[in-house]
Amino acid sequence: MKREELQRYLEREIEKWSAKSYETLREELRDGNYTDCEPEAEYHLEVDLLENRDDYVHISIGVCSEKVRWSCFHPLSRSFLVYRDGSVKK
């Protein structure tokens, strides 16, 4: 697997997490982050709550793979905003 191939995993996670509501994201990330690092998985996932404001949440998603050299030291990542009114800015 090449680092560029991680892009599809990142896009999938961005779509999944940005579809969640403002309230759901605040609840699921109330401790600051979520990680999924299953040994057999194609990639590792980290979701971080960067900002938790009354009008929006700012979320960062990072993916890496042990199959891609150095990617877990420098994960592929992006962030987005989910507003209280349901709008999303990617």
Side-chain angles (χ1 to χ4, degrees):
M1 177 185 295
K2 295 182 180 178
R3 183 171 172 84
E4 295 79 27
E5 293 177 62
L6 284 173
Q7 185 67 36
R8 67 182 167 145
Y9 297 119
L10 177 61
E11 292 302 322
R12 182 171 59 200
E13 293 296 339
I14 290 287
E15 291 305 314
K16 175 183 164 185
W17 284 86
S18 66
K20 296 182 181 194
S21 72
Y22 165 86
E23 292 83 11
T24 299
L25 289 167
R26 288 182 80 174
E27 178 63 26
E28 289 184 11
L29 299 171
R30 70 177 171 270
D31 294 328
N33 71 0
Y34 167 86
T35 58
D36 186 4
C37 296
E38 297 296 323
E40 295 83 29
E42 286 290 314
Y43 64 99
H44 302 299
L45 169 68
E46 183 170 336
V47 182
D48 292 300
L49 179 61
L50 301 176
E51 292 181 272
N52 186 2
R53 296 178 37 136
D54 288 337
D55 54 339
Y56 70 86
V57 289
H58 187 186
I59 308 296
S60 173
I61 295 188
V63 296
C64 69
S65 174
E66 293 177 0
K67 298 174 185 176
V68 180
R69 187 176 178 187
W70 301 106
S71 76
C72 287
F73 291 112
H74 183 68
L76 196 57
S77 64
R78 254 181 56 205
S79 68
F80 59 91
L81 304 173
V82 176
Y83 291 88
R84 180 184 288 275
D85 69 5
S87 60
V88 177
K89 183 177 179 183
K90 296 182 197 176

